[in-house]
Amino acid sequence: MIQGLRDKYNFHVLAPEDGIYHIVDTNSRYISGYCNGYEDSNGSAEYLSLKVKLEKGKQYYVYLKMSSYYPAYSKYNLKVLLTQDIDDYPSSKSLASEIFLDANINGKMDYAGDSDWMYFTASDDGIVQITIPSNLNCSFENESSSLWSLTYSSTYLEYPVVKGTKYYISLYADDRSKTISYNVKVTLLPMNDDYGNDKNTAELIEADTLMSGRINYIGDIDCFKFIPELSGIY
């Protein structure tokens, strides 16, 4: 029994086989649990539920303490269960799964700390648009470096891609302790750049003329040139 905020219990678990394990308390709504670097802080007064990926033969520790949202004693019934859950996408860039453009991608963060890696090969020059839910983060990379990241509730990016080039997407939950389902869309848009990007392709603009446009993708620059008919302050 947890008797106060300073009280804490710890248990060790020897994983009998590789897999995703479910650490759950079926008695109290006010217990926080910690294992393998991740914590279910239980701020919403729900039953402790934490899924972690463990390796066969390794010893892990489970720590239980009172949630700060309910600073009083609480009994618990702790279970560590081996699930039948399967990791839907690889968790490393080197093992990334191939996806195809212009399709909805359904997946899940299957355990605390999970990341889903996937890649596509651009079928044409254009702009790739990646749309994600607000509780998900995204990293966009090529073979050698990171190109852009989506965090803090940003929900889409548009980035120029080159035909025949391989690009990687890494997805992970904003709260790394949570298991969440997601739907992501990756779409190839045509390269419709409205204005030139440098001095050589700059658009001529005249005085007292309104120019409307759009920054079409990450890194886009719209460049204009102006030739004054009279000397003066513009």
Side-chain angles (χ1 to χ4, degrees), residues 54-72:
L54 306 181
E55 296 181 30
K56 179 181 179 180
K58 287 190 175 182
Q59 185 166 271
Y60 300 86
Y61 290 87
V62 179
Y63 297 87
L64 299 181
K65 65 180 181 179
M66 179 61 60
S67 169
S68 60
Y69 291 85
Y70 189 77

Side-chain angles (χ1 to χ4, degrees), residues 44-61:
S44 301
E46 300 173 348
Y47 289 110
L48 166 64
S49 179
L50 180 66
K51 287 189 175 181
V52 289
K53 189 174 184 179
L54 306 181
E55 296 181 30
K56 179 181 179 180
K58 287 190 175 182
Q59 185 166 271
Y60 300 86
Y61 290 87

Side-chain angles (χ1 to χ4, degrees), residues 49-205:
S49 179
L50 180 66
K51 287 189 175 181
V52 289
K53 189 174 184 179
L54 306 181
E55 296 181 30
K56 179 181 179 180
K58 287 190 175 182
Q59 185 166 271
Y60 300 86
Y61 290 87
V62 179
Y63 297 87
L64 299 181
K65 65 180 181 179
M66 179 61 60
S67 169
S68 60
Y69 291 85
Y70 189 77
Y73 74 90
S74 188
K75 296 180 180 179
Y76 58 82
N77 293 322
L78 176 67
K79 290 183 178 180
V80 181
L81 307 170
L82 176 61
T83 73
Q84 299 300 311
D85 296 353
I86 299 174
D87 198 1
D88 52 0
Y89 287 95
S91 298
S92 67
K93 185 175 182 177
S94 61
L95 299 174
S97 294
E98 184 176 15
I99 61 170
F100 298 96
L101 295 169
D102 303 322
N104 286 311
I105 301 164
N106 296 305
K108 184 180 180 181
M109 297 297 114
D110 298 287
Y111 54 89
D114 189 17
S115 60
D116 287 354
W117 280 87
M118 51 201 74
Y119 76 89
F120 67 89
T121 302
S123 55
D124 205 346
D125 292 348
I127 300 170
V128 66
Q129 183 184 78
I130 304 174
T131 306
I132 66 172
S134 59
N135 60 354
L136 206 63
N137 293 337
C138 170
S139 177
F140 184 60
E141 305 183 8
N142 58 22
E143 290 275 17
S144 59
S145 61
S146 176
L147 301 175
W148 201 261
S149 295
L150 279 178
T151 56
Y152 306 114
S153 299
S154 299
T155 55
Y156 78 96
L157 68 81
E158 293 179 349
Y159 203 96
V161 294
V162 178
K163 181 179 179 179
T165 302
K166 185 183 288 188
Y167 297 92
Y168 294 83
I169 299 170
S170 171
L171 303 172
Y172 53 98
D174 189 52
D175 182 345
R176 300 304 302 274
S177 70
K178 299 301 182 185
T179 56
I180 59 172
S181 298
Y182 62 80
N183 176 267
V184 169
K185 189 165 186 178
V186 183
T187 306
L188 183 63
L189 305 175
M191 179 62 81
N192 292 328
D193 198 0
D194 48 3
Y195 295 110
N197 298 333
D198 54 34
K199 292 180 179 179
N200 294 326
T201 57
E203 185 81 8
L204 179 64
I205 184 173

